[in-house]
Amino acid sequence: MSAPTCRLCRAELVDTFVDLGMSPPCESYLTADQLDSGEVFYPLHVRVCARCLLVQLPAYIDAEDIFSHYAYFSSYSDSWVAHAKSFVEDAVDRLSLDAGSFVVEVASNDGYLLQHVVQRGIRALGIEPAANVAEAAVEKGVPTEVTFLGEATGADVAARHGAADLVVANNVFAHVPDIVDFATGLRRLVADDGMVTIEIPHLLRLIEGNEYDTIYHEHYSYLSLLTTQRVLAAAGLTVVDVEELPTHGGSLRTWSMPAERATPPSDAVASVLAAEAAAGLHSLSGHAGFARAVARVRNDLVEFLVERSRRGETVVAYGAPGKGNTLLNHCGVRADQIAFAVDRNPFKQGKFLPGTHIPVFPPERLAEARPDYVLIMPWNLRDEIAHQLHDVRSWGGQLVVALPQLEVLPNIEGTQP
Ligand SMILES: [Zn+2]
């Protein structure tokens, strides 16, 4: 079999960024009667292109399989809706949008963001591939087209609705296999004097925080500002400004304009590029250390679990986020090392984690089982969750995180029961 090719520049991909072995799709939670059947595992082998430096996972699973019936409704998360509202306020001010303006959002989900545009009397259109999610947006009064964005669909939408003053693509850019066709679709949608804004998890933060559990099959590209600029340039768009955001462990929000009308890039663009260059992200060799850091995280977690098992101590997991499954499968964990996970999401309760087959229970199970250690899976919320779990201390239990490195959390004064 020949080597995969780069989705940006078509060079052969021979260099490994990190190889996490085989994993099932991270959102495929199992029911009890599926446990005695086979389970499909796909490679999680992330490459870095020697020519253009795009860090990428080959499309082992078809995007249409994953996103056409996507069950996630953004409005379920209060913090996302608040994030979207403040984004809209910021964009309206920055671009002086008014009743004559037109805003298009790609991967508009259930209208969680565009509802704030509509409320301001600004014309809006969503583009969303999952029909059931798009239906929820239409019920909110957000006109939505059910399709995947590419060059052809972008041109078609612009021909029927007009070109947009603002095109928004938040947290979707990294999730499209044909990223150049998608970016070209953005260019087709936007007016010649319009603006395209994109939010992406920042590769620099992924590396700094050892956030390797954010690698999963639906996440095809791991972008720096440099590689984002290169993808957008291939579609005729120029990055003119960038903001750093705390979301998803550290994200970038880029603002781009059609190349022929672009203003000079802001100081923020130069400053983020300089930070990436200093971290080695603008050279192939600078990507080499990540696999070693990941191996260290795995060794520490496996060693911790083996030692607890030898001592007859119990470990359970708090939270069953999809991304936790990358970590657990990479570490080869099974239910004899982590007895169960608890999660507040009723959809996950009574099910089993993909690959590891660890059962998921409601949070009340913690107090019944009184485990010796609770491993907090959503490490980005560790302080908030440690506070919620202060009861664990009452039976002598301890809280642990695996990322960015294994740590048994100190018993904080004032959180005693
Ligand atoms: Zn390339």
Side-chain angles (χ1 to χ4, degrees):
M1 195 179 138
S2 61
T5 54
C6 174
R7 58 174 53 104
L8 171 55
C9 77
R10 304 288 160 207
E12 245 186 40
L13 293 172
V14 292
D15 295 280
T16 291
F17 178 61
V18 67
D19 186 352
L20 301 177
M22 303 285 283
S23 225
C26 75
E27 294 290 345
S28 35
Y29 295 83
L30 304 170
T31 56
D33 58 4
Q34 288 174 308
L35 295 180
D36 287 322
S37 306
E39 200 176 353
V40 185
F41 281 56
Y42 299 89
L44 269 181
H45 186 174
V46 186
R47 313 310 215 279
V48 53
C49 177
R51 190 195 287 166
C52 74
L53 299 178
L54 181 64
V55 173
Q56 56 197 292
L57 190 62
Y60 295 114
I61 308 181
D62 198 10
E64 309 213 355
D65 280 353
I66 299 168
F67 295 112
S68 296
H69 43 81
Y70 207 48
Y72 187 75
F73 288 73
S74 295
S75 295
Y76 284 173
S77 164
D78 292 341
S79 60
W80 269 116
V81 174
H83 176 75
K85 184 161 191 267
S86 78
F87 166 78
V88 168
E89 284 163 6
D90 180 46
V92 167
D93 285 351
R94 175 188 273 256
L95 305 178
S96 307
L97 299 177
D98 58 27
S101 305
F102 180 38
V103 177
V104 174
E105 188 191 12
V106 185
S108 50
N109 201 272
D110 59 3
Y112 73 104
L113 187 145
L114 286 180
Q115 63 183 346
H116 301 296
V117 176
V118 171
Q119 278 161 18
R120 286 167 170 266
I122 299 169
R123 191 160 66 95
L125 178 73
I127 297 180
E128 167 57 48
N132 60 329
V133 181
E135 212 170 285
V138 172
E139 279 165 23
K140 285 194 182 80
V142 177
T144 303
E145 298 231 349
V146 179
T147 185
F148 279 93
L149 180 68
E151 180 171 11
T153 49
D156 171 57
V157 168
R160 286 183 292 112
H161 296 271
D165 301 291
L166 172 64
V167 177
V168 182
N170 289 347
N171 300 302
V172 59
F173 205 57
H175 295 268
V176 287
D178 193 346
I179 197 169
V180 175
D181 184 52
F182 181 88
T184 308
L186 296 174
R187 176 64 191 93
R188 294 290 167 267
L189 287 173
V190 74
D192 289 344
D193 59 352
M195 188 75 86
V196 174
T197 181
I198 292 171
E199 283 182 29
I200 44 160
H202 192 187
L203 178 65
L204 180 61
R205 301 289 166 236
L206 185 159
I207 292 174
E208 283 177 350
N210 289 335
E211 297 168 3
Y212 83 87
D213 58 348
T214 61
I215 295 170
Y216 46 87
H217 294 104
E218 301 92 318
H219 194 172
Y220 299 105
S221 299
Y222 300 82
L223 294 145
S224 62
L225 181 55
L226 178 74
T227 53
T228 301
Q229 282 179 318
R230 287 177 174 168
V231 174
L232 291 172
L237 292 164
T238 300
V239 176
V240 296
D241 195 15
V242 65
E243 296 166 67
E244 294 182 272
L245 310 175
T247 45
H248 293 294
S251 297
L252 294 179
R253 176 187 291 155
T254 62
W255 297 85
S256 316
M257 297 177 73
E260 60 276 20
R261 300 285 281 270
T263 51
S266 68
D267 291 347
V269 171
S271 137
V272 171
L273 287 174
E276 289 180 351
L281 287 190
H282 295 182
S283 71
L284 182 64
S285 59
H287 291 74
F290 187 65
R292 285 193 298 276
V294 166
R296 202 157 48 233
V297 168
R298 185 202 49 207
N299 292 345
D300 288 350
L301 178 59
V302 170
E303 194 170 75
F304 173 81
L305 293 172
V306 168
E307 187 54 30
R308 302 283 82 73
S309 169
R310 284 205 177 107
R311 294 184 190 190
E313 295 172 330
T314 50
V315 184
V316 306
Y318 184 87
K323 64 181 189 173
N325 294 319
T326 292
L327 176 75
L328 297 176
N329 277 297
H330 177 241
C331 292
V333 175
R334 295 294 179 265
D336 59 342
Q337 288 178 313
I338 292 185
F340 60 85
V342 297
D343 198 284
R344 292 158 98 178
N345 183 343
F347 169 78
K348 293 176 181 172
Q349 295 165 3
K351 296 213 168 107
F352 295 80
L353 301 185
T356 61
H357 293 194
I358 293 170
V360 184
F361 297 119
E364 295 72 39
R365 183 78 172 217
L366 277 185
E368 294 160 25
R370 301 162 73 95
D372 298 302
Y373 292 90
V374 178
L375 177 65
I376 298 175
M377 300 306 293
W379 43 261
N380 49 323
L381 305 173
R382 59 183 266 176
D383 293 340
E384 186 185 327
I385 291 171
H387 192 71
Q388 287 167 15
L389 293 181
H390 67 87
D391 267 3
V392 170
R393 314 281 192 194
S394 69
W395 62 78
Q398 301 202 73
L399 304 176
V400 189
V401 291
L403 297 173
Q405 67 239 330
L406 188 85
E407 188 184 345
V408 178
L409 301 187
N411 216 337
I412 306 152
E413 211 58 44
T415 59
Q416 295 282 0

